[in-house]
């Protein structure tokens, strides 16, 4: 497994092994242990030892808008209102945060150019190639080399539990040659979709090296004692967060 769990003062969160080896990068994926809607940003502030105003959150609309955050106030006033499913920066002291309760968290890191990013990949974001768009943005904006980019696919609903209908199946079939490999037929017009593998394949099509992709293999629905799950808990309002900062 590419992820480790840490527990501190009643707060538990996951970190990515390949990111842990990189200096000056703080990051986490939260759990339901010690985390709820009210204390989420405070917890991040505590764990990262940053002020609340240095935290920048996404405004997720299942789209593929990626915000390059260089100025926190400009982002909050001008960019956030338009919907943001991907965040990126090379600035220090800006904590990027995205929200999840079954959708796929994608973490990006270029240790060479010191660029960090997060993206929200539900089936819509995945099929619209938000992973590939993040990679392109890193290359265009920060001159990242594809050989350096590390990506991690965090805890989210797994192929074991993620049942979808023909509408979702058709969207992937239209766009990706590999669609057959990510769906398992279950019953009439129902499939189980492997969003982990879909995102991995999409990232590899963008040139990311397989050995640079970590997958947690943790299903939020199966592990309901550790994570909140929108599907398992029928529309629960609680969320996990992905957070990352360049120190
Ligand atoms: Zn599962």
């Amino acid at each position: 497994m590419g992820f480790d769990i840490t527990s501190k003062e009643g707060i538990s969160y996951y970190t990515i092994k390949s990111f842990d080896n990189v200096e000056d990068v703080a990051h986490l994926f939260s759990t339901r242990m010690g985390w709820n809607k009210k204390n989420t940003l405070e917890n991040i502030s505590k764990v990262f030892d940053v002020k609340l105003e240095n935290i920048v959150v996404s405004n997720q609309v299942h789209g593929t808008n990626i915000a390059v955050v260089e100025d926190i106030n400009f982002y909050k006033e001008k960019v956030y209102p338009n919907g943001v499913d991907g965040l990126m920066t090379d600035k220090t002291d800006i904590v990027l945060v995205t929200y999840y309760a079954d959708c796929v968290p994608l973490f990006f890191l270029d240790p060479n150019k010191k660029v960090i990013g997060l993206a929200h990949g539900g089936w819509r974001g995945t099929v619209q190639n938000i992973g590939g768009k993040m990679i392109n943005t890193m290359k265009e904006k920060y001159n990242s080399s594809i050989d350096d980019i590390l990506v991690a696919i965090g805890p989210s609903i797994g192929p074991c539990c993620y049942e979808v209908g023909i509408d979702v199946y058709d969207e992937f079939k239209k766009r990706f040659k590999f669609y057959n490999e990510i769906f398992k037929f279950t019953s009439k017009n129902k499939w189980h979709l492997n969003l982990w593998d879909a995102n991995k394949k999409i990232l590899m099509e963008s040139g990311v090296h397989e050995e640079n992709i970590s997958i947690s293999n943790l299903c939020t629905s199966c592990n309901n004692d550790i994570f909140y799950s929108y599907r398992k808990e029928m529309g629960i309002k609680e969320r996990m967060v992905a957070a990352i900062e360049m120190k």
Side-chain angles (χ1 to χ4, degrees), residues 173-189:
K173 188 176 172 182
K174 250 192 274 175
R175 286 177 170 87
F176 300 111
K177 282 201 192 95
F178 58 69
Y179 76 92
N180 245 334
E181 297 164 40
I182 55 171
F183 286 100
K184 209 174 119 198
F185 181 76
T186 48
S187 59
K188 197 174 177 287
N189 286 336

Side-chain angles (χ1 to χ4, degrees), residues 158 160-161 219 221-222:
C160 37
C161 298
C219 171
S221 178
C222 287

Side-chain angles (χ1 to χ4, degrees), residues 144-184:
S144 286
S145 159
I146 196 68
D147 298 333
D148 295 331
I149 298 176
L150 305 176
V151 189
I153 299 169
S156 37
I157 195 159
C160 37
C161 298
Y162 191 35
E163 191 178 74
V164 296
I166 194 152
D167 51 331
V168 175
Y169 179 83
D170 279 346
E171 289 298 316
F172 279 89
K173 188 176 172 182
K174 250 192 274 175
R175 286 177 170 87
F176 300 111
K177 282 201 192 95
F178 58 69
Y179 76 92
N180 245 334
E181 297 164 40
I182 55 171
F183 286 100
K184 209 174 119 198

Side-chain angles (χ1 to χ4, degrees), residues 61-65 85-86 100 102-106 108 119-134 153-154 156-157 162 164 168 171-176 178-179 182-183 193-206:
V61 293
H62 289 278
T64 58
N65 281 346
D85 281 76
Y100 306 88
D102 283 343
C103 287
V104 180
L106 298 172
F108 297 82
H120 163 242
W123 77 261
R124 284 193 173 84
T126 301
V127 83
Q128 292 175 84
N129 193 22
I130 193 162
K133 287 176 182 170
M134 290 288 288
I153 299 169
S156 37
I157 195 159
Y162 191 35
V164 296
V168 175
E171 289 298 316
F172 279 89
K173 188 176 172 182
K174 250 192 274 175
R175 286 177 170 87
F176 300 111
F178 58 69
Y179 76 92
I182 55 171
F183 286 100
L193 170 55
N194 188 338
L195 276 181
W196 302 337
D197 203 28
N199 276 289
K200 182 180 175 183
K201 284 178 159 51
I202 288 165
L203 289 160
M204 286 175 66
E205 281 191 349
S206 290

